[in-house]
Amino acid sequence: MLKSGTAQITALATVSNDHRLMPPCGRSREMLFQLHRENLRAVVVLDGALVTVAELLPMRWQELRDD
């Protein structure tokens, strides 16, 4: 993604070693947010549900800082 110059996504699915859908890890969620804030609207495909990155990352560290 970064090598191709892409920062914004619309949807994603992460797959475990046993080929099941799972949410992306916390580090990946934070990275997606840091790359482009619109990624909060990206749809995450889970087993039986669609959620947004924002729903999986409710308290982002940038929004908690005092600048």
Side-chain angles (χ1 to χ4, degrees):
M1 182 173 157
L2 296 176
K3 282 187 173 189
S4 70
T6 303
Q8 189 174 358
I9 61 169
T10 56
L12 72 128
T14 52
V15 182
S16 66
N17 287 339
D18 58 355
H19 309 288
R20 292 191 294 184
L21 291 170
M22 59 184 286
C25 71
R27 186 174 184 178
S28 294
R29 298 173 200 184
E30 189 65 46
M31 183 198 67
L32 289 169
F33 173 63
Q34 290 177 19
L35 287 174
H36 200 291
R37 291 189 184 249
E38 286 297 311
N39 287 340
L40 290 174
R41 296 181 182 180
V43 174
V44 180
V45 180
L46 299 176
D47 212 11
L50 298 176
V51 298
T52 64
V53 172
E55 291 173 295
L56 294 176
L57 192 61
M59 296 182 68
R60 296 165 285 283
W61 71 272
Q62 287 93 339
E63 294 177 1
L64 300 176
R65 294 186 320 182
D66 291 329
D67 287 329

